[in-house]
Amino acid sequence: MVHTLADLEAPMLNIRPSNVETVAVNSVFELHRLFSIPGAFEEVLDLIKQIQPKIVTIAEQEANHNGSCYMNRIKEAWLYYSTMFYVLENSESTQTNNRDLDMAEQYLGREVYNLVACEGTKQIVRHETLSQWRVRFNSAGFNLVPLGSNTYRNANMLLALFTNEEGYRVEEKDGCLMLSCHSRPLFTTSAWCGYVAKSRD
């Protein structure tokens, strides 16, 4: 529908009245890209408030790649992507399918290039940590909805199904879920709400 999330407008979504449908917002690895466009993140949060979802869930990379200090960004990128390449090269799916490994490495390579070689609005890869997301969402009037024990158990069962490799771990952190590899956090998921829903009639 649009080039970026920042171009979305509430009428495009054709949301029906609250007595007809319930709205949920789910964002997977997308919100960090908004930081390259001044004011875009705030605009998207305003849009979310307009459509009044019952719940907002986000999944993001657990890394600090949005700082102003170039050397800190390089260090963070090295720590994060060295683990990601390790995960790829040791996963069963990429060991049996070189094409999958090549595609994944190309994707990660483009992210590393963007982090290292681009500045200003050209730097699109701007991952932030869970603590940074908490500040942003709390400041916008959202409250964290702790993920329950069932979610934690289900995540661990899924992890056991898809990998036999030791070193992977799902843990609960401050009401959110975090996936780590050899103690290095890779991804976090969280759920949010924060305002009294009004009728969308």
Side-chain angles (χ1 to χ4, degrees):
M1 293 175 63
V2 292
H3 182 63
T4 71
L5 289 178
D7 297 325
L8 271 177
E9 297 178 3
M12 297 178 182
L13 303 175
N14 195 28
I15 295 174
R16 292 173 289 183
S18 57
N19 63 333
V20 176
E21 69 178 0
T22 298
V23 174
V25 172
N26 180 44
S27 173
V28 179
F29 308 145
E30 286 294 332
L31 290 181
H32 71 269
R33 297 174 178 273
L34 295 171
F35 298 142
S36 65
I37 308 169
F41 180 75
E42 292 75 16
E43 290 176 12
V44 169
L45 288 190
D46 287 342
L47 169 65
I48 292 173
K49 289 181 177 180
Q50 287 180 46
I51 64 177
Q52 300 169 357
K54 293 289 186 184
I55 195 76
V56 178
T57 59
I58 68 169
E60 284 287 344
Q61 292 86 344
E62 181 65 14
N64 183 11
H65 298 149
N66 194 26
S68 57
C69 178
Y70 181 74
M71 291 308 297
N72 287 346
R73 204 165 75 214
I74 295 298
K75 178 182 176 182
E76 286 285 329
W78 166 255
L79 293 171
Y80 183 82
Y81 285 100
S82 61
T83 306
M84 287 298 298
F85 280 110
Y86 170 85
V87 169
L88 280 174
E89 291 168 359
N90 289 278
S91 70
E92 292 180 3
S93 62
T94 54
Q95 285 178 352
T96 57
N97 191 329
N98 288 332
R99 185 166 177 252
D100 284 353
L101 178 61
D102 289 342
M103 290 178 64
E105 288 184 340
Q106 285 179 31
Y107 175 79
L108 292 180
R110 286 194 297 269
E111 286 198 344
V112 172
Y113 175 84
N114 187 260
L115 272 170
V116 172
C118 299
E119 293 287 347
T121 57
K122 292 184 179 180
Q123 184 199 339
I124 298 170
V125 179
R126 292 175 175 265
H127 307 136
E128 292 196 339
T129 63
L130 176 60
S131 59
Q132 292 170 302
W133 286 111
R134 287 180 72 109
V135 170
R136 289 186 182 277
F137 273 80
N138 287 334
S139 298
F142 290 86
N143 294 314
L144 184 72
V145 178
L147 297 173
S149 57
N150 284 340
T151 306
Y152 173 74
R153 284 194 295 269
N154 288 338
N156 271 301
M157 285 191 296
L158 285 171
L159 182 63
L161 285 174
F162 286 100
T163 180
N164 295 320
E165 178 76 16
E166 293 183 4
Y168 292 95
R169 181 178 178 187
V170 174
E171 59 184 316
E172 187 275 333
K173 182 177 180 181
D174 301 326
C176 307
L177 290 185
M178 181 178 291
L179 174 65
S180 303
C181 179
H182 295 291
S183 301
R184 178 68 192 178
L186 297 178
F187 307 103
T188 53
T189 58
S190 55
W192 304 84
C193 70
Y195 45 88
V196 178
K198 299 176 182 178
S199 172
R200 295 192 300 271
D201 297 272

